[in-house]
Each structure stands twice: as C-alpha cells, then as structure tokens.
Amino acid sequence: MTCRCVLPIAAGLAEGPCWWSERNILLWVDIEASRIGLFDPATGNNDFFHLPAHVGAVVPTSVGDLLLATAAGLMRMDPSTGVVTLLLDPEVDRPGNRFNDGKCDPWGRFWAGTMAYDFEPLAGSLWRLDGDGRITRQRRQLTISNGLAWSQDRGTLYFIDSPTLKVMAFPLTSSGEIAAEPSICVQIPEDWDAVPDGMCIDAEGMLWIALFGGGAVTRWDPISGQLLERLELPCRQVTSCCFGGPHLDQLFMTTARREMDAAAIAAEPLAGGLFQADVGVKGLPADTFQVAG
C-alpha cells in the first residue's frame, strides 16, 4: 500500500475526515485554525469555512447542512452561506475544555468527546446528541476522547481514549445504547512511541487506526486484536482516517504539524497535508445526523 498527498495544505492540526457522499466531498477540520475544509478529490479543490471557535469535528445532516463540535459547543452551519448557529454547550462550566473527535452512529445520532486544552487527565467526557436536540453524557473521566466506529451489525461501539493506548469495545443494545462495561479489543504497544488517534472501520469489520507520533495508519482485527497491515506516511503526526470516493474504496488521512520547528518541517514538508491511498478494501458509508421532524 502506498499513499499520496492530495492536498499539501500545511494544516496545523488537520483532523476529523468525513466523506459527504451526497456531494462526493471530503469534510475535514483544521482544529486550532478554527476552520473546516471541503475537499473535492476529483478536482483537487478545497474550500474553507472559518468558524468562531476551534472545531474538532464536522458531519453532514439529513437536511443538507453541517453539524459541528467546537470549543464553544455544538453548532449547525449552512454551507451555502457559511452562517453558523449555536445549538448548545454541555460543558459551559468547563471553559478549559473543547470538543475533539465526533461521528454519527447508525441510528443518526452524533457522538463527540471533549478534552482539556492542557491535557488534564480525566477532564473530558463523551456526549451523544439525538435528533430531537437532547444531549446525554455517555462516559466520564476521559483524557483525550478520540476515535469512534460502529460494527456493521450495530452490536459494538469501538472507542479510543488516546493516552490509554487502547481501543475499547462497548456492547450495544438493539437501539444503540451502551449495554455493559467495555472490553479491550486492541492494544497499541508502548514501545511504538505513538498514541491511537482517529479511527474508522472497513466493510470487512477491521479497524483502521491513525497513529499520532507513529507516522502510520494501521489495520487491526478487533476480534483477535491482531495487527494486520501498516500504511506508512511521510510524516509522524497522523491524526485520523476515513473511507471515501464514489465507491468508498479510497482511504483518506489527515496529518498535523503541531509544535514542529523549522528543522522538523524541513524533514517532513508534507506534514499537515491530506493523503489518499488505495488499500484494497472498501469502507462503510458515513452516517449522517438525522434531524427530527
């Protein structure tokens, strides 16, 4: 497997890629620049929308606009005008926190986790926003809430709290509620000097995990916990991945150049770019946020 840089944008902290199938566009965020990107792989064109707060995740909704998880709470944005509307901020009492990674589940609900800017241990939570606007805390005492994925049979939620170096598997009820305490399904070795970041799942049920500091995206069997494949990138700070393209057979990856000095950037000039690879397997369509009514 080989990857290529399709957008050498030099983002500080590119994250949260999400394939918007209705428009054949890759959505992504540049967290600390407070902007979302809309990238068209067919043309190579990328449009930015700037936001009033740092943004950790963006997903499409069933009515054609975008749902955002930001440092100021959850927002909706009309991509035709750029107008942003604040929905709610469940952590208004924690100004030192921001939303990080987020994704929609197969039931059309949005899950997004928080973290502290200073990486305070156990300061974050995992939240779920339902289509009727109700928000509920799903987990407490997280440090860097990160990758999310759901099994194709809807029976398992996979979740990463990065500093733990683990992927947790939560059993779900038929309506998508967490049914019991999780088990560990993937363990990242400590001697890799990398932490698991964003994550996605392919059509064969295998997990693809970005390794921040590890310069790679790795494919794992969540049942056996076995490492299956490793896709190397030309930069160490690999942040997330998702499947996209008209046939969902392309893996898109985001990277960062956070706190890199001039020498490090010279050694990794493509850091902060968007990458694409044909990995020989298809992904699953990204779920959209289902707006009630």
Side-chain angles (χ1 to χ4, degrees), residues 31-56:
I31 294 178
E32 294 172 347
S34 302
R35 61 185 183 175
I36 64 171
L38 283 72
F39 174 66
D40 183 350
T43 64
N45 182 65
N46 182 81
D47 293 321
F48 278 122
F49 286 94
H50 293 268
L51 300 169
H54 291 169
V55 56

Side-chain angles (χ1 to χ4, degrees), residues 5-261:
C5 185
V6 291
L7 186 66
I9 198 69
L13 188 53
E15 260 281 11
C18 176
W19 184 253
W20 194 357
S21 58
E22 290 183 354
R23 300 197 181 188
N24 281 328
I25 284 174
L26 183 74
L27 301 169
W28 62 283
V29 303
D30 188 0
I31 294 178
E32 294 172 347
S34 302
R35 61 185 183 175
I36 64 171
L38 283 72
F39 174 66
D40 183 350
T43 64
N45 182 65
N46 182 81
D47 293 321
F48 278 122
F49 286 94
H50 293 268
L51 300 169
H54 291 169
V55 56
V58 55
V59 296
T61 80
S62 59
V63 295
D65 64 351
L66 300 173
L67 178 62
L68 316 169
T70 81
L74 301 178
M75 302 179 179
R76 296 268 293 274
M77 191 191 81
D78 183 344
S80 65
T81 63
V83 173
V84 176
T85 304
L86 176 65
L87 296 179
L88 55 90
D89 184 359
E91 296 193 4
V92 68
D93 60 327
R94 299 191 68 94
N97 278 13
R98 68 167 175 83
F99 270 103
N100 196 41
D101 208 354
K103 195 173 290 186
C104 290
D105 69 15
W107 295 267
R109 304 168 302 194
F110 182 56
W111 297 63
T114 59
M115 58 174 284
Y117 274 102
D118 63 2
F119 304 105
E120 176 188 347
L122 310 181
S125 295
L126 180 63
W127 298 88
R128 191 188 77 201
L129 178 70
D130 292 6
D132 60 5
R134 183 169 56 100
I135 192 164
T136 52
R137 193 193 317 254
Q138 301 295 310
R139 301 294 288 183
R140 298 176 182 268
Q141 296 189 315
L142 305 173
T143 301
I144 304 178
S145 182
N146 237 319
L148 294 153
W150 285 263
S151 61
Q152 197 165 9
D153 66 3
R154 302 187 177 194
T156 307
L157 162 65
Y158 300 107
F159 172 71
I160 293 170
D161 183 6
S162 290
T164 69
L165 303 183
K166 298 175 176 65
V167 180
M168 308 304 294
F170 289 86
L172 301 176
T173 68
S174 60
S175 60
E177 303 295 326
I178 292 175
E181 287 300 303
S183 60
I184 300 169
C185 67
V186 171
Q187 175 74 59
I188 304 299
E190 289 188 17
D191 60 6
W192 284 11
D193 196 25
V195 297
D197 202 321
M199 174 173 61
C200 66
I201 192 167
D202 65 32
E204 296 178 357
M206 304 297 110
L207 297 175
W208 293 77
I209 302 170
L211 296 180
F212 190 91
V217 173
T218 47
R219 186 182 189 229
W220 300 78
D221 183 338
I223 304 303
S224 68
Q226 180 182 1
L227 173 65
L228 303 176
E229 296 178 80
R230 183 182 181 101
L231 172 60
E232 302 284 347
L233 277 76
C235 41
R236 291 179 303 104
Q237 296 182 7
V238 185
T239 57
S240 193
C241 55
C242 79
F243 282 92
H247 306 292
L248 295 177
D249 60 354
Q250 298 295 303
L251 189 71
F252 290 92
M253 295 150 282
T254 50
T255 65
R257 53 171 60 191
R258 191 172 190 269
E259 298 182 350
M260 290 174 60
D261 60 20

Side-chain angles (χ1 to χ4, degrees), residues 266-284:
E268 301 179 11
L270 295 177
L274 301 186
F275 291 79
Q276 182 177 348
D278 182 347
V279 294
V281 65
K282 292 186 177 183
L284 302 174

